[in-house]
Amino acid sequence: MKITIEIADALLEAAKAAAARDNCTLRELIEQGLRTVLSGERGRERGFKLRDASVSGQGLQPGVEFGRWERVGERGDERGS
């Protein structure tokens, strides 16, 4: 089926470049994109997963209480001196 759509010039140019790079037609690229969106395979729907950046250790350093950020800053100042 033939249709007419209006899209931004920059988007069209990027799509043409992507089609040329992937050695396919603009029609094939657009159909693939529509299929991806309609099938729900978009990357955004997978959600974000934060990597585990935990470090080993014994928790808070002596003299630092949980929730006392001003003391944490003081400890940093002591180490820098």
Side-chain angles (χ1 to χ4, degrees):
M1 173 181 283
K2 290 187 177 189
I3 63 167
T4 301
I5 60 171
E6 290 185 30
I7 62 173
D9 291 342
L11 181 58
L12 178 59
E13 293 306 315
K16 286 180 178 179
R21 182 187 65 239
D22 294 345
N23 197 29
C24 67
T25 65
L26 186 57
R27 175 185 171 166
E28 291 168 335
L29 182 78
I30 292 170
E31 286 182 352
Q32 178 185 12
L34 286 171
R35 283 189 189 98
T36 299
V37 169
L38 295 174
S39 70
E41 295 177 11
R42 293 182 291 188
R44 286 183 277 165
E45 293 181 8
R46 284 185 256 154
F48 175 78
K49 182 172 178 163
L50 183 64
R51 71 175 179 83
D52 184 357
S54 302
V55 296
S56 59
Q58 301 299 317
L60 296 174
Q61 296 294 312
V64 177
E65 297 174 34
F66 184 74
R68 299 279 315 266
W69 288 106
E70 64 276 359
R71 185 68 184 129
V72 172
E74 291 169 8
R75 295 278 297 177
D77 292 341
E78 292 170 7
R79 289 183 179 185
S81 301

Coordinates of all heavy atoms in Angstrom, one line a residue:
M1 N 0.8 -1.2 0.0 CA 0.0 0.0 0.0 C 0.9 1.2 0.0 O 1.9 1.3 0.7 CB -0.9 0.0 1.2 CG -1.7 1.3 1.4 SD -2.7 1.3 2.9 CE -4.0 0.2 2.3
K2 N 0.5 2.2 -0.8 CA 1.3 3.5 -0.8 C 0.6 4.5 0.1 O -0.6 4.6 0.1 CB 1.3 4.0 -2.3 CG 2.2 3.2 -3.2 CD 2.3 3.8 -4.5 CE 3.3 3.0 -5.4 NZ 3.6 3.7 -6.6
I3 N 1.5 5.2 0.8 CA 1.0 6.3 1.6 C 1.9 7.5 1.5 O 3.0 7.4 1.0 CB 0.9 5.9 3.1 CG1 2.3 5.6 3.7 CG2 -0.1 4.7 3.3 CD1 2.3 5.5 5.2
T4 N 1.5 8.6 2.0 CA 2.3 9.8 2.0 C 2.4 10.3 3.5 O 1.4 10.4 4.1 CB 1.7 11.0 1.2 OG1 1.6 10.5 -0.2 CG2 2.6 12.2 1.2
I5 N 3.6 10.5 3.9 CA 3.8 11.0 5.3 C 4.7 12.2 5.3 O 5.5 12.3 4.4 CB 4.3 9.9 6.3 CG1 5.7 9.4 5.8 CG2 3.4 8.7 6.4 CD1 6.4 8.5 6.7
E6 N 4.6 13.0 6.3 CA 5.6 14.1 6.5 C 6.4 13.8 7.7 O 5.9 13.6 8.7 CB 4.8 15.4 6.7 CG 4.1 15.9 5.4 CD 3.4 17.2 5.6 OE1 3.9 18.1 6.4 OE2 2.4 17.5 5.0
I7 N 7.8 13.9 7.5 CA 8.7 13.7 8.6 C 9.8 14.8 8.4 O 9.9 15.4 7.4 CB 9.4 12.3 8.6 CG1 10.2 12.1 7.3 CG2 8.3 11.2 8.8 CD1 10.9 10.8 7.4
A8 N 10.5 15.0 9.5 CA 11.5 16.1 9.5 C 12.6 15.7 8.5 O 13.0 14.5 8.3 CB 12.1 16.2 10.9
D9 N 13.1 16.8 7.9 CA 14.2 16.6 6.8 C 15.4 15.8 7.4 O 15.9 14.9 6.8 CB 14.7 17.9 6.3 CG 13.6 18.6 5.4 OD1 12.6 17.9 5.0 OD2 13.7 19.8 5.2
A10 N 15.8 16.2 8.6 CA 17.0 15.6 9.2 C 16.7 14.1 9.5 O 17.6 13.2 9.3 CB 17.3 16.3 10.5
L11 N 15.5 13.8 9.9 CA 15.2 12.3 10.2 C 15.2 11.5 8.9 O 15.7 10.4 8.9 CB 13.8 12.3 10.8 CG 13.3 10.9 11.2 CD1 14.2 10.2 12.1 CD2 11.9 11.0 11.8
L12 N 14.7 12.1 7.8 CA 14.7 11.4 6.5 C 16.1 11.2 6.1 O 16.4 10.1 5.6 CB 13.9 12.2 5.5 CG 13.9 11.6 4.1 CD1 13.3 10.2 4.1 CD2 13.2 12.5 3.1
E13 N 17.0 12.2 6.2 CA 18.4 12.0 5.8 C 19.1 11.0 6.6 O 19.8 10.2 6.1 CB 19.1 13.4 5.9 CG 18.6 14.4 4.9 CD 18.6 13.9 3.4 OE1 19.6 13.3 3.0 OE2 17.6 14.1 2.7
A14 N 18.8 10.9 7.9 CA 19.4 9.9 8.8 C 18.9 8.5 8.4 O 19.7 7.6 8.4 CB 19.1 10.2 10.2
A15 N 17.6 8.4 8.1 CA 17.0 7.1 7.7 C 17.6 6.7 6.3 O 17.9 5.5 6.2 CB 15.5 7.3 7.5
K16 N 17.8 7.6 5.4 CA 18.4 7.2 4.1 C 19.8 6.7 4.3 O 20.3 5.7 3.7 CB 18.4 8.4 3.2 CG 17.0 8.7 2.6 CD 17.1 9.9 1.6 CE 15.8 10.2 1.0 NZ 15.9 11.4 0.1
A17 N 20.6 7.4 5.2 CA 22.0 7.0 5.5 C 22.0 5.6 6.2 O 22.8 4.8 5.8 CB 22.6 8.1 6.4
A18 N 21.1 5.4 7.1 CA 21.0 4.1 7.8 C 20.7 3.0 6.8 O 21.3 1.9 6.9 CB 20.0 4.1 8.9
A19 N 19.8 3.2 5.9 CA 19.4 2.2 4.9 C 20.5 1.9 4.0 O 20.8 0.7 3.7 CB 18.2 2.7 4.1
A20 N 21.3 2.9 3.6 CA 22.4 2.7 2.7 C 23.5 1.9 3.5 O 24.1 1.0 2.9 CB 23.0 4.0 2.2
R21 N 23.7 2.3 4.7 CA 24.7 1.6 5.5 C 24.3 0.1 5.7 O 25.2 -0.8 5.7 CB 24.8 2.3 6.9 CG 25.9 1.7 7.8 CD 25.9 2.3 9.2 NE 24.6 2.0 9.9 CZ 23.7 2.9 10.3 NH1 24.0 4.1 10.2 NH2 22.6 2.5 10.9
D22 N 23.0 -0.2 5.9 CA 22.6 -1.5 6.2 C 22.2 -2.3 4.9 O 21.7 -3.4 4.9 CB 21.3 -1.5 7.1 CG 21.6 -1.0 8.5 OD1 22.8 -0.9 8.8 OD2 20.7 -0.6 9.2
N23 N 22.5 -1.6 3.7 CA 22.3 -2.2 2.4 C 20.8 -2.7 2.3 O 20.6 -3.8 1.9 CB 23.3 -3.4 2.2 CG 23.3 -3.7 0.7 OD1 23.1 -2.9 -0.2 ND2 23.6 -5.0 0.4
C24 N 19.9 -1.8 2.6 CA 18.5 -2.1 2.4 C 17.8 -0.8 1.9 O 18.4 0.2 1.8 CB 17.8 -2.5 3.7 SG 17.7 -1.3 5.0
T25 N 16.6 -1.0 1.5 CA 15.8 0.2 1.0 C 15.2 1.0 2.1 O 15.1 0.4 3.3 CB 14.7 -0.3 0.1 OG1 13.7 -1.0 0.8 CG2 15.2 -1.2 -1.1
L26 N 14.8 2.2 1.9 CA 14.2 3.0 2.9 C 12.9 2.4 3.3 O 12.5 2.4 4.5 CB 13.9 4.4 2.3 CG 13.4 5.5 3.3 CD1 14.3 5.6 4.5 CD2 13.2 6.8 2.5
R27 N 12.2 1.8 2.4 CA 10.9 1.1 2.7 C 11.2 -0.1 3.7 O 10.5 -0.2 4.7 CB 10.3 0.5 1.4 CG 9.1 -0.3 1.7 CD 8.6 -1.0 0.4 NE 7.5 -1.9 0.8 CZ 6.7 -2.4 -0.1 NH1 6.8 -2.1 -1.4 NH2 5.8 -3.3 0.3
E28 N 12.2 -0.9 3.4 CA 12.5 -2.0 4.3 C 12.9 -1.5 5.7 O 12.5 -2.0 6.7 CB 13.7 -2.8 3.8 CG 13.3 -3.6 2.5 CD 14.6 -4.2 1.8 OE1 15.7 -3.6 2.0 OE2 14.4 -5.2 1.2
L29 N 13.6 -0.4 5.8 CA 14.0 0.2 7.1 C 12.8 0.7 7.8 O 12.7 0.4 9.0 CB 15.0 1.4 6.9 CG 15.5 2.0 8.1 CD1 16.6 1.2 8.8 CD2 16.0 3.4 7.8
I30 N 11.9 1.4 7.2 CA 10.7 1.9 7.8 C 9.8 0.7 8.3 O 9.3 0.7 9.4 CB 9.9 2.8 6.9 CG1 10.8 4.1 6.7 CG2 8.5 3.1 7.4 CD1 10.2 5.0 5.6
E31 N 9.6 -0.3 7.4 CA 8.8 -1.5 7.8 C 9.4 -2.2 9.0 O 8.7 -2.6 10.0 CB 8.7 -2.4 6.7 CG 7.7 -1.9 5.6 CD 7.6 -2.9 4.4 OE1 8.3 -3.9 4.4 OE2 6.7 -2.7 3.6
Q32 N 10.7 -2.3 9.1 CA 11.4 -3.0 10.2 C 11.2 -2.1 11.5 O 10.9 -2.7 12.5 CB 12.9 -3.1 9.9 CG 13.7 -3.7 11.1 CD 15.2 -3.7 10.8 OE1 15.7 -3.1 9.9 NE2 15.9 -4.5 11.6
G33 N 11.3 -0.8 11.4 CA 11.1 0.0 12.5 C 9.7 -0.1 13.0 O 9.4 -0.2 14.3
L34 N 8.7 0.0 12.1 CA 7.3 -0.2 12.5 C 7.0 -1.5 13.2 O 6.3 -1.6 14.2 CB 6.4 0.0 11.3 CG 6.2 1.5 10.9 CD1 5.5 1.5 9.5 CD2 5.5 2.3 11.9
R35 N 7.6 -2.6 12.6 CA 7.4 -3.9 13.2 C 7.9 -4.0 14.7 O 7.3 -4.6 15.6 CB 8.0 -5.0 12.4 CG 7.2 -5.3 11.1 CD 7.8 -6.6 10.4 NE 7.1 -6.7 9.1 CZ 7.6 -6.3 8.0 NH1 8.8 -5.7 7.9 NH2 6.9 -6.5 6.9
T36 N 9.1 -3.4 14.8 CA 9.8 -3.4 16.1 C 8.9 -2.6 17.2 O 8.7 -3.1 18.3 CB 11.2 -2.7 16.1 OG1 12.0 -3.5 15.2 CG2 11.8 -2.7 17.4
V37 N 8.4 -1.5 16.8 CA 7.6 -0.7 17.7 C 6.3 -1.4 18.0 O 5.8 -1.5 19.2 CB 7.3 0.7 17.1 CG1 6.2 1.4 17.9 CG2 8.6 1.5 17.1
L38 N 5.6 -1.9 17.0 CA 4.3 -2.6 17.2 C 4.4 -3.9 17.9 O 3.5 -4.3 18.6 CB 3.6 -2.8 15.8 CG 3.3 -1.5 15.1 CD1 2.7 -1.8 13.7 CD2 2.3 -0.7 15.9
S39 N 5.6 -4.6 17.9 CA 5.7 -5.8 18.6 C 6.1 -5.6 20.0 O 6.2 -6.6 20.8 CB 6.7 -6.7 17.9 OG 8.0 -6.2 18.0
G40 N 6.4 -4.4 20.4 CA 6.8 -4.1 21.8 C 8.2 -4.5 22.1 O 8.6 -4.6 23.3
E41 N 9.1 -4.5 21.1 CA 10.5 -4.9 21.4 C 11.4 -3.7 21.6 O 12.6 -3.8 21.4 CB 11.0 -5.7 20.2 CG 10.3 -7.1 20.0 CD 10.8 -7.8 18.8 OE1 11.9 -7.4 18.2 OE2 10.2 -8.8 18.5
R42 N 10.8 -2.6 21.9 CA 11.6 -1.4 22.1 C 12.5 -1.5 23.3 O 12.1 -2.1 24.3 CB 10.8 -0.1 22.2 CG 10.0 0.2 20.9 CD 9.2 1.4 21.0 NE 8.1 1.1 21.9 CZ 7.1 2.0 22.2 NH1 7.1 3.1 21.6 NH2 6.2 1.6 23.0
G43 N 13.7 -0.9 23.2 CA 14.6 -1.0 24.3 C 14.1 -0.3 25.6 O 14.4 -0.8 26.7
R44 N 13.4 0.7 25.5 CA 12.9 1.4 26.6 C 12.0 0.5 27.5 O 11.9 0.7 28.7 CB 12.1 2.7 26.2 CG 13.0 3.8 25.8 CD 12.2 5.0 25.4 NE 11.7 4.8 24.1 CZ 10.7 5.5 23.6 NH1 10.1 6.4 24.2 NH2 10.3 5.3 22.3
E45 N 11.3 -0.4 26.9 CA 10.4 -1.2 27.7 C 11.1 -2.3 28.5 O 10.5 -2.8 29.4 CB 9.4 -1.9 26.7 CG 8.5 -0.8 26.1 CD 7.5 -1.4 25.1 OE1 7.3 -2.7 25.1 OE2 6.8 -0.7 24.4
R46 N 12.3 -2.5 28.2 CA 13.1 -3.5 29.1 C 13.4 -2.9 30.4 O 13.7 -3.6 31.3 CB 14.3 -3.9 28.3 CG 14.0 -4.9 27.2 CD 15.3 -5.4 26.6 NE 15.4 -4.7 25.3 CZ 16.5 -4.5 24.7 NH1 17.6 -4.9 25.2 NH2 16.5 -3.9 23.6
G47 N 13.5 -1.6 30.5 CA 13.8 -1.0 31.8 C 15.3 -0.8 32.0 O 16.1 -1.4 31.3
F48 N 15.6 0.0 32.9 CA 17.0 0.2 33.2 C 17.5 -0.7 34.4 O 16.7 -0.8 35.4 CB 17.2 1.7 33.6 CG 18.6 2.0 34.1 CD1 19.6 2.2 33.2 CD2 18.9 2.1 35.4 CE1 20.9 2.5 33.6 CE2 20.2 2.4 35.8 CZ 21.2 2.6 34.9
K49 N 18.6 -1.3 34.3 CA 19.1 -2.1 35.3 C 20.5 -1.6 35.8 O 21.4 -1.5 35.0 CB 19.3 -3.6 34.9 CG 19.8 -4.5 36.0 CD 19.8 -5.9 35.6 CE 20.3 -6.7 36.8 NZ 20.0 -8.1 36.8
L50 N 20.5 -1.2 37.0 CA 21.7 -0.6 37.6 C 22.7 -1.7 37.9 O 22.3 -2.7 38.6 CB 21.4 0.2 38.9 CG 22.5 0.9 39.6 CD1 23.1 2.0 38.6 CD2 22.0 1.5 40.8
R51 N 23.9 -1.6 37.5 CA 24.9 -2.6 37.8 C 25.3 -2.6 39.2 O 25.2 -1.6 39.9 CB 26.1 -2.5 36.9 CG 27.0 -1.3 37.3 CD 28.3 -1.3 36.4 NE 29.1 -0.2 36.8 CZ 30.0 -0.1 37.8 NH1 30.1 -1.2 38.6 NH2 30.7 1.0 38.0
D52 N 25.7 -3.7 39.8 CA 26.1 -3.9 41.2 C 27.5 -3.2 41.3 O 28.4 -3.8 40.8 CB 26.1 -5.3 41.6 CG 26.4 -5.5 43.1 OD1 26.7 -4.5 43.7 OD2 26.4 -6.7 43.5
A53 N 27.5 -2.1 42.0 CA 28.8 -1.5 42.2 C 29.2 -1.6 43.7 O 30.0 -0.7 44.2 CB 28.7 0.0 41.8
S54 N 28.8 -2.6 44.4 CA 29.1 -2.8 45.8 C 30.6 -3.0 45.9 O 31.3 -3.5 45.0 CB 28.4 -4.0 46.3 OG 27.0 -3.9 46.2
V55 N 31.1 -2.7 47.1 CA 32.5 -2.9 47.4 C 32.6 -3.7 48.7 O 31.7 -3.7 49.5 CB 33.3 -1.6 47.6 CG1 33.4 -0.8 46.3 CG2 32.7 -0.7 48.7
S56 N 33.7 -4.5 48.8 CA 33.8 -5.3 50.0 C 34.3 -4.4 51.1 O 34.8 -3.3 50.9 CB 34.8 -6.4 49.8 OG 36.1 -5.9 49.4
G57 N 34.0 -4.8 52.3 CA 34.4 -4.0 53.5 C 33.6 -4.3 54.7 O 32.8 -5.2 54.7
Q58 N 33.8 -3.6 55.7 CA 33.1 -3.8 57.0 C 32.1 -2.8 57.3 O 31.8 -2.6 58.5 CB 34.2 -3.9 58.1 CG 35.2 -5.0 57.9 CD 34.6 -6.4 57.8 OE1 33.7 -6.7 58.6 NE2 35.0 -7.2 56.9
G59 N 31.7 -2.0 56.3 CA 30.6 -1.0 56.6 C 31.3 0.3 56.9 O 32.4 0.7 56.4
L60 N 30.6 1.1 57.8 CA 31.1 2.4 58.1 C 32.4 2.4 58.9 O 32.6 1.4 59.7 CB 30.0 3.1 59.0 CG 28.7 3.4 58.2 CD1 27.7 4.0 59.2 CD2 28.9 4.4 57.1
Q61 N 33.2 3.4 58.7 CA 34.5 3.5 59.5 C 34.2 3.9 60.9 O 33.2 4.5 61.2 CB 35.3 4.5 58.8 CG 35.8 4.2 57.4 CD 36.7 3.0 57.4 OE1 37.6 2.9 58.2 NE2 36.4 2.0 56.5
P62 N 35.0 3.5 61.8 CA 34.9 3.9 63.2 C 34.7 5.4 63.4 O 35.4 6.2 62.7 CB 36.1 3.4 63.9 CG 36.7 2.3 63.0 CD 36.3 2.7 61.6
G63 N 33.8 5.9 64.2 CA 33.6 7.3 64.4 C 32.6 7.9 63.5 O 32.3 9.1 63.6
V64 N 32.1 7.2 62.5 CA 31.1 7.7 61.6 C 29.8 7.0 61.9 O 29.7 5.8 61.8 CB 31.5 7.5 60.1 CG1 30.4 8.0 59.2 CG2 32.8 8.1 59.8
E65 N 28.7 7.8 62.1 CA 27.4 7.3 62.4 C 26.6 7.3 61.1 O 26.7 8.3 60.3 CB 26.7 8.1 63.5 CG 27.4 8.1 64.8 CD 26.8 9.0 65.8 OE1 25.5 9.2 65.7 OE2 27.5 9.6 66.6
F66 N 25.8 6.3 60.9 CA 24.9 6.3 59.8 C 24.0 7.5 59.8 O 23.4 7.9 60.8 CB 24.0 5.0 59.8 CG 23.2 4.9 58.6 CD1 23.7 4.5 57.4 CD2 21.8 5.2 58.6 CE1 22.9 4.4 56.2 CE2 21.0 5.0 57.5 CZ 21.6 4.6 56.3
G67 N 23.9 8.3 58.6 CA 23.1 9.4 58.5 C 23.7 10.7 59.0 O 23.1 11.8 58.9
R68 N 25.0 10.7 59.4 CA 25.7 11.9 59.9 C 26.6 12.4 58.8 O 27.8 12.1 58.9 CB 26.4 11.6 61.2 CG 25.5 11.2 62.4 CD 24.9 12.4 63.1 NE 25.7 13.5 63.3 CZ 26.4 13.7 64.4 NH1 26.3 12.9 65.4 NH2 27.2 14.8 64.5
W69 N 26.1 13.0 57.7 CA 27.0 13.4 56.6 C 28.0 14.4 56.9 O 29.1 14.4 56.4 CB 26.1 13.9 55.5 CG 25.4 12.7 54.8 CD1 24.0 12.4 54.9 CD2 25.9 11.7 54.0 NE1 23.7 11.3 54.3 CE2 24.9 10.8 53.7 CE3 27.2 11.4 53.5 CZ2 25.1 9.7 52.9 CZ3 27.4 10.3 52.8 CH2 26.3 9.5 52.4
E70 N 27.8 15.3 57.9 CA 28.8 16.2 58.3 C 30.0 15.6 58.8 O 31.1 16.0 58.6 CB 28.2 17.3 59.2 CG 27.8 16.8 60.6 CD 26.4 16.2 60.6 OE1 25.7 16.2 59.6 OE2 26.0 15.7 61.7
R71 N 29.8 14.5 59.5 CA 31.0 13.7 60.1 C 31.7 13.0 59.0 O 33.0 12.9 59.0 CB 30.5 12.7 61.1 CG 31.6 12.0 61.8 CD 32.4 12.9 62.7 NE 33.5 12.2 63.3 CZ 34.8 12.6 63.3 NH1 35.1 13.7 62.8 NH2 35.7 11.8 63.8
V72 N 31.1 12.5 58.0 CA 31.7 11.9 56.8 C 32.6 12.9 56.1 O 33.8 12.7 55.8 CB 30.7 11.3 55.8 CG1 31.4 10.9 54.5 CG2 29.9 10.2 56.4
G73 N 32.1 14.2 56.0 CA 32.9 15.2 55.4 C 34.2 15.6 56.2 O 35.3 15.8 55.7
E74 N 34.0 15.5 57.6 CA 35.1 15.8 58.5 C 36.2 14.7 58.3 O 37.4 15.0 58.3 CB 34.6 15.9 59.9 CG 33.8 17.0 60.2 CD 33.1 16.9 61.6 OE1 33.4 16.0 62.4 OE2 32.2 17.7 61.9
R75 N 35.7 13.5 58.2 CA 36.7 12.4 58.0 C 37.5 12.5 56.7 O 38.7 12.3 56.7 CB 36.0 11.0 58.0 CG 35.3 10.6 59.3 CD 36.2 10.1 60.3 NE 36.8 8.8 59.7 CZ 37.7 8.1 60.4 NH1 38.1 8.5 61.5 NH2 38.2 7.0 59.9
G76 N 36.8 13.0 55.7 CA 37.5 13.2 54.4 C 38.6 14.3 54.6 O 39.7 14.2 54.0
D77 N 38.2 15.4 55.3 CA 39.2 16.5 55.6 C 40.4 16.0 56.4 O 41.5 16.4 56.1 CB 38.5 17.6 56.3 CG 37.5 18.3 55.5 OD1 37.5 18.2 54.2 OD2 36.6 19.0 56.0
E78 N 40.2 15.1 57.3 CA 41.2 14.5 58.1 C 42.2 13.7 57.3 O 43.4 13.8 57.5 CB 40.7 13.6 59.3 CG 39.9 14.4 60.3 CD 39.2 13.5 61.2 OE1 39.4 12.2 61.2 OE2 38.3 13.9 62.0
R79 N 41.7 13.0 56.3 CA 42.6 12.2 55.5 C 43.4 13.0 54.5 O 44.5 12.6 54.2 CB 41.7 11.1 54.7 CG 41.2 10.1 55.6 CD 40.4 9.1 54.7 NE 39.9 8.0 55.6 CZ 39.3 7.0 55.1 NH1 39.1 6.8 53.8 NH2 38.8 6.1 56.0
G80 N 42.8 14.1 54.1 CA 43.5 15.0 53.1 C 44.6 15.8 53.8 O 45.5 16.3 53.1
S81 N 44.6 15.9 55.1 CA 45.6 16.7 55.7 C 46.9 16.0 56.0 O 47.0 14.9 56.1 CB 45.1 17.2 57.1 OG 43.9 17.9 56.9

